Amino acid sequence: MKEELITLKIDNKEVKVKKGSTILDAARQANIDIPTLCFLKDINEVGDCRMCIVEIEGRRGFTPSCVQKAEEGMVVHTNTPPIIDARRVILDLIISNHKIDCLTCTRSGNCELQDLAKKFNIRDIEFPGEKIEHTIDDVSPSIVRDFSKCVLCRRCVATCKNVQKIGAIDCINRGFESCVSTVGNNSLNDVNCTFCGQCIQSCPTGALHEKETISEVWEKLKDPDCYVIAQTAPAVRAALGEEFGIDIGTNVTGKMITALKRLGFDKVFDTNTGADFTIMEEANEFIERFTNKNSVLPMITSCSPGWVRYIEMNYPELLPHLSTCKSPHQMFGALIKTYFAKKEGIDPNKIYVVSVMPCVAKKFESTREEMNYDGISDVDNVITTRELSRMIKEANIEFKKLEDDNFDDPMGEATGAGAIFGTTGGVMEAALRTAQDILNKKDLDTIDFKKVRGEEGIKKATINIDGKKIKVVAASGLANAKVILEEIKNGKADYQFVEIMACPGGCVMGGGQPIKSSKVRAEIDVRKLRANCLYSIDEKSTIRKSHENIILKKIYKEFLKSPGSDIAHRLLHTHYVERKKYKINN
Amino acid sequence: MDEKVNCTKCKCGKEDKFLKKLFTIYKPNKDNLIQMLNEIQEHYGYVPMYVQQELSEFLKIPMAEIYGVVTFYSRFSLEPQGKYKISVCLGTACFVKGSQKILDRLSERLKIEPGETTEDVLFTIDQTRCVGACGLAPVFTVNGEVYGKATVQDLDKVLDKLLEQEG
Ligand code: SF4
Ligand code: SF4
Ligand code: SF4
Ligand code: FES
Ligand code: FES
């Protein structure tokens, strides 16, 4: 069917757009910018803040362009002096309620409110008035909420409620006291929040951000007795460059390693190698479950801690489906503190492992009491991609101009399979590459399982291995996870292997990644660019199957014996607990 | 919804008959939220947190959304409300005429802060904005009954009477 087009005039320019487009869409298509604040494409289209108002000839007053559909023959003005004045009044009101703190705010330089203030040339505060004092919620290990910087756009509420289907935050109270908060106005730590961090990604301001733990890293880097090791997740290299003005989806692995070494890390390792271990253990666990009649199937992957927290709180009865494998950086941390420490003759108590992750839930994960061996924690600190970029800026390193470097031996080279862990479908694909070889007992050429690639939230495929049909599903985003869990709960699951990631699109779109403005998100498919970066790293790798990783083979031979061995279980596997959703007392 | 159970302090953990009945009368439809909350408020005298959680599971609405509704409408409360709700107006007219003193006296005598309820669930202190009786300022109300041009002595008298009534 041919799309129906309509014609309208915006600022004297004739624009042809698809029927059903909003005036905002139409204007952007014609390269006419309209400021927005509460609008977040496909997620929050409510027309609340009125920052995007325009004038439509023949209509009284102003109309919010983010919700108003374009109509044939409409004549629209977007930037007349009265419109600008009206927008300025709206902005003045918002700013008068805002704790203006730009010099010390995590979002300074990447804040939609700050941008608007700049755009409107705000020079003083028009309505200084009574402000409510809000306590800052920094109880959880992952997320900080500072309501004094909230503009009540509700982008976070819509993200949490509709995209993730969690609903941990909502508008509470009324009038002057209304705000975005949780059940009982409690900390996110004490409600059904999964720490996925998607709300941070949606927030235009500094009202939501990660719990920053950079200063501890600096302390350890200063300490000559401390052996500080960094490991970096696959998705970090596909996005870190963005914080330094490099194009989205550029692979900055080499520069990232150089920067980490300049910061003073004693070693820089690749979490992708950890991912190769995860694949070995997970593929093995799957084959065991698949070939043993009475095992629990389908098996679900466990490398996304936001997802793990979700199932622990919402479907504890399905926990036996969860693979017992730790996530890659936890496995890798455990190996660093045992195998590597012994090999290099370093006291594991003196090693400080910093994981650089695209994720805020991993901050919580590393504090779980299961994540240690003989009382020595696998990982000592988790910082996000954003936090690493801040450290690099603090150290005055000109990232763009850095040379490339390589990951350190002996935990160096990872496979392409490890790289694609950072995108939805990647864990599945990596596991299948290994599982098919084990089941077939030979090295097969099938490398690309394209059916589990792509942007859909739920991807199903049937794979033929050694005459056996294996049905697999990859789901990303917790709303999609819920669909799969309901199928399993109701006995409607006819598949055997499920990959779930908490963030829509997988780790490349994790809660700790560089934050993109509403406008960029509407115009650019960020997920695709970052995911393609990982797929091309995979394609260019000489080794693309986890079980062929040279260092991995060596460590199994010298130390772990075989996947699923006793020692592998103690170091690389974990268990789960049922969690209460709310702390309530009446 | 006649039989009044004193659920406010009960932590016996036994099945809540009222809720069970409520969940059979109503269909699990989002649109029933307000109506069900009305019945819950009426029955318990407030909307207990655990009831909000059960309601959230029944209606498949996030609990935070329900909590948002409960905190939005003044007819719902999160704490048990006393048999007597004494509200002191702190609107401009009343404040100028010294209503703060009345409020302070009330807190002092009942040993609770504004917004709280006494242990025996007899009294709740409330502070309000202008109740539209400025001509009578300062004003306080007991379960809606207005006491105008009030003094601390008037309050004492009212309190003494109520305490005597309740034994
Ligand atoms: S949220 Fe934005 S405007 Fe507010 S203090 Fe932070 S940078 Fe400044
Ligand atoms: S971290 Fe995730 S679950 Fe928690 S409030 Fe934010 S979006 Fe909701
Ligand atoms: S916390 Fe951020 S996203 Fe949520 S309503 Fe406030 S400003 Fe908007
Ligand atoms: S009303 Fe359009 S951006 Fe808020
Ligand atoms: S100020 Fe108290 S009734 Fe108006």
Side-chain angles (χ1 to χ4, degrees):
Chain A
M1 212 178 72
K2 244 189 91 188
E3 301 246 28
E4 205 181 318
L5 290 181
I6 53 169
T7 311
L8 69 161
K9 220 178 210 171
I10 305 180
D11 294 347
N12 289 323
K13 201 165 165 184
E14 212 174 79
V15 191
K16 271 194 193 345
V17 288
K18 275 186 253 163
K19 200 175 171 189
S21 308
T22 61
I23 293 178
L24 179 66
D25 289 333
R28 282 180 173 172
Q29 194 183 311
N31 288 323
I32 295 169
D33 187 42
I34 299 175
T36 62
L37 188 57
C38 68
F39 175 77
L40 194 58
K41 197 169 175 50
D42 298 330
I43 296 174
N44 203 39
E45 303 183 345
V46 288
D48 238 9
C49 75
R50 300 184 61 83
M51 187 53 65
C52 64
I53 45 173
V54 295
E55 208 183 307
I56 301 169
E57 276 185 21
R59 288 198 197 180
R60 285 185 51 200
F62 300 127
T63 311
S65 63
C66 67
V67 284
Q68 173 65 50
K69 297 261 185 293
E71 288 166 19
E72 181 65 45
M74 248 183 190
V75 181
V76 180
H77 301 282
T78 74
N79 272 319
T80 63
I83 298 176
I84 296 172
D85 275 352
R87 287 185 191 142
R88 192 193 307 278
V89 171
I90 296 166
L91 188 58
D92 279 338
L93 276 169
I94 294 172
I95 292 177
S96 71
N97 276 316
H98 191 80
K99 176 166 118 200
I100 302 158
D101 199 13
C102 301
L103 273 182
T104 52
C105 181
T106 57
R107 287 296 290 277
S108 191
N110 180 18
C111 168
E112 292 182 36
L113 183 60
Q114 202 182 41
D115 286 349
L116 285 171
K118 236 187 271 170
K119 203 174 252 176
F120 283 87
N121 207 11
I122 303 288
R123 283 290 166 269
D124 46 25
I125 310 302
E126 283 286 331
F127 310 100
E130 206 186 338
K131 286 181 199 165
I132 317 184
E133 280 295 317
H134 291 282
T135 42
I136 294 178
D137 167 18
D138 58 359
V139 178
S140 93
S142 293
I143 297 174
V144 177
R145 294 186 304 140
D146 180 357
F147 195 75
S148 55
K149 290 185 190 163
C150 174
V151 296
L152 279 173
C153 67
R154 304 182 197 197
R155 280 156 54 163
C156 57
V157 173
T159 304
C160 188
K161 202 191 296 194
N162 305 329
V163 178
Q164 295 292 65
K165 287 263 193 307
I166 303 291
I169 41 179
D170 215 312
C171 298
I172 69 162
N173 300 338
R174 69 181 303 161
F176 189 56
E177 268 139 34
S178 72
C179 63
V180 170
S181 192
T182 59
V183 166
N185 205 5
N186 282 324
S187 162
L188 281 180
N189 207 40
D190 298 331
V191 296
N192 56 335
C193 170
T194 64
F195 301 147
C196 70
Q198 288 302 305
C199 51
I200 299 178
Q201 290 293 344
S202 294
C203 183
T205 72
L208 292 168
H209 57 89
E210 69 280 288
K211 177 103 162 241
E212 204 177 66
T213 50
I214 296 178
S215 56
E216 279 165 57
V217 182
W218 284 122
E219 282 312 309
K220 296 293 170 183
L221 287 170
K222 271 187 249 167
D223 181 351
D225 278 343
C226 194
Y227 197 93
V228 193
I229 297 177
Q231 57 161 320
T232 64
V236 177
R237 68 205 66 185
L240 179 64
E242 294 165 27
E243 297 284 21
F244 302 94
I246 297 174
D247 287 348
I248 301 173
T250 309
N251 171 14
V252 295
T253 312
K255 288 187 176 11
M256 173 185 73
I257 299 168
T258 308
L260 284 163
K261 290 190 181 168
R262 284 250 209 121
L263 289 175
F265 285 91
D266 295 294
K267 288 271 187 258
V268 181
F269 291 150
D270 193 354
T271 307
N272 295 15
T273 306
D276 284 331
F277 280 92
T278 305
I279 286 307
M280 285 302 283
E281 294 296 324
E282 207 157 59
N284 204 70
E285 182 183 356
F286 174 68
I287 290 166
E288 230 162 70
R289 291 193 191 215
F290 187 68
T291 47
N292 277 339
K293 270 268 156 328
N294 296 320
S295 306
V296 181
L297 282 176
M299 184 181 97
I300 316 178
T301 59
S302 57
C303 36
S304 165
W307 143 246
V308 170
R309 195 171 152 90
Y310 175 80
I311 185 174
E312 287 181 324
M313 287 195 290
N314 295 283
Y315 295 86
E317 70 277 15
L318 298 182
L319 281 172
H321 289 270
L322 211 51
S323 156
T324 58
C325 290
K326 285 182 186 171
S327 71
H329 82 114
Q330 296 288 154
M331 282 198 178
F332 206 37
L335 287 170
I336 289 170
K337 299 240 178 136
T338 52
Y339 173 82
F340 172 77
K342 201 164 158 215
K343 192 141 187 103
E344 302 284 309
I346 307 168
D347 174 2
N349 286 302
K350 294 215 163 112
I351 296 181
Y352 189 79
V353 174
V354 180
S355 299
V356 185
M357 297 284 128
C359 179
V360 290
K362 287 204 153 75
K363 284 177 179 276
F364 154 73
E365 179 190 38
S366 71
T367 65
R368 290 179 66 122
E369 54 184 39
E370 307 86 27
M371 297 297 167
N372 73 80
Y373 178 66
D374 279 353
I376 296 177
S377 54
D378 301 341
V379 168
D380 301 286
N381 197 338
V382 174
I383 62 171
T384 58
T385 311
R386 294 192 292 271
E387 286 170 274
L388 174 59
S389 79
R390 285 176 215 147
M391 288 186 75
I392 295 171
K393 285 173 189 165
E394 273 185 63
N396 227 5
I397 295 171
E398 288 185 277
F399 190 80
K400 266 186 163 171
K401 295 186 186 159
L402 292 178
E403 321 247 287
D404 287 350
D405 201 342
N406 293 316
F407 285 111
D408 285 312
D409 286 332
M411 314 287 271
E413 205 180 336
T415 68
I420 57 174
F421 245 71
T423 175
T424 167
V427 177
M428 172 69 65
E429 183 167 345
L432 289 174
R433 288 182 194 170
T434 292
Q436 68 167 2
D437 282 13
I438 300 179
L439 282 170
N440 280 310
K441 300 189 183 59
K442 61 182 174 226
D443 186 10
L444 294 176
D445 295 336
T446 321
I447 297 266
D448 296 341
F449 293 89
K450 293 229 161 89
K451 278 191 192 138
V452 289
R453 297 187 181 182
E455 67 176 327
E456 304 79 33
I458 296 180
K459 292 167 283 189
K460 297 193 176 181
T462 305
I463 279 142
N464 238 318
I465 298 182
D466 197 21
K468 293 184 197 77
K469 276 200 167 75
I470 300 180
K471 286 193 177 174
V472 301
V473 182
S476 77
L478 291 170
N480 293 318
K482 189 175 179 156
V483 172
I484 300 296
L485 290 178
E486 285 296 325
E487 285 182 1
I488 297 176
K489 197 169 152 181
N490 298 323
K492 294 207 178 97
D494 63 345
Y495 33 79
Q496 290 84 39
F497 193 5
V498 183
E499 174 207 286
I500 292 182
M501 295 186 186
C503 296
C507 314
V508 284
M509 300 304 279
Q513 291 284 65
I515 296 168
K516 302 282 117 180
S517 70
S518 160
K519 189 161 182 235
V520 169
R521 282 172 69 161
E523 290 173 351
I524 299 175
D525 188 346
V526 179
R527 183 210 66 85
K528 193 169 167 192
L529 294 173
R530 291 179 184 164
N532 285 349
C533 169
L534 296 184
Y535 283 121
S536 87
I537 293 175
D538 171 36
E539 245 157 57
K540 286 186 201 128
S541 305
T542 36
I543 304 176
R544 298 181 61 194
K545 295 172 178 174
S546 297
H547 55 283
E548 290 168 1
N549 180 328
I550 295 162
I551 175 70
L552 171 138
K553 284 202 229 170
K554 191 166 165 221
I555 294 179
Y556 270 108
K557 197 163 154 237
E558 289 176 13
F559 182 60
L560 290 170
K561 311 295 177 237
S562 63
S565 70
D566 271 359
I567 171 94
H569 258 279
R570 267 184 291 150
L571 287 177
L572 310 181
H573 290 251
T574 183
H575 59 270
Y576 309 103
V577 290
E578 180 173 348
R579 265 173 221 282
K580 266 213 174 113
K581 283 202 254 184
Y582 306 99
K583 225 185 227 170
I584 50 178
N585 45 22
N586 76 15
Chain B
M1 304 298 125
D2 39 340
E3 122 213 38
K4 284 248 178 196
V5 197
N6 185 12
C7 300
T8 51
K9 288 221 180 69
C10 175
K11 294 222 167 57
C12 66
K14 278 195 206 125
E15 187 180 35
D16 192 324
K17 284 207 189 103
F18 166 78
L19 265 193
K20 202 165 178 198
K21 203 161 142 204
L22 195 71
F23 291 165
T24 53
I25 300 171
Y26 286 93
K27 290 215 169 64
N29 181 337
K30 226 182 141 144
D31 298 340
N32 290 332
L33 176 63
I34 299 281
Q35 193 52 40
M36 291 177 85
L37 283 174
N38 280 334
E39 296 222 23
I40 290 164
Q41 171 76 35
E42 160 89 0
H43 174 80
Y44 297 93
Y46 72 115
V47 189
M49 291 300 248
Y50 80 92
V51 174
Q52 293 180 47
Q53 187 170 6
E54 299 217 8
L55 194 58
S56 141
E57 260 141 48
F58 178 72
L59 293 175
K60 306 226 174 332
I61 303 176
M63 185 172 167
E65 188 174 327
I66 295 180
Y67 183 81
V69 171
V70 171
T71 52
F72 183 83
Y73 293 102
S74 54
R75 66 172 180 274
F76 301 129
S77 53
L78 290 165
E79 301 287 335
Q81 296 294 295
K83 185 167 171 193
Y84 302 104
K85 183 168 173 182
I86 308 184
S87 313
V88 181
C89 175
L90 288 184
T92 315
C94 292
F95 189 79
V96 170
K97 297 238 165 128
S99 60
Q100 184 68 45
K101 273 196 209 119
I102 300 179
L103 185 62
D104 291 345
R105 175 66 177 166
L106 194 55
S107 279
E108 183 192 323
R109 285 206 56 185
L110 297 177
K111 297 188 182 61
I112 53 169
E113 295 297 310
E116 292 179 351
T117 299
T118 51
E119 278 277 329
D120 53 11
V121 207
L122 267 184
F123 297 101
T124 298
I125 306 181
D126 190 22
Q127 56 185 46
T128 63
R129 303 204 168 186
C130 178
V131 293
C134 308
L136 296 174
V139 160
F140 71 88
T141 62
V142 179
N143 289 351
E145 194 185 328
V146 179
Y147 293 78
K149 298 211 188 310
T151 60
V152 171
Q153 287 74 20
D154 293 341
L155 174 78
D156 275 335
K157 264 188 236 155
V158 173
L159 269 183
D160 290 341
K161 206 178 107 211
L162 291 174
L163 284 167
E164 198 185 298
Q165 258 176 39
E166 294 296 328

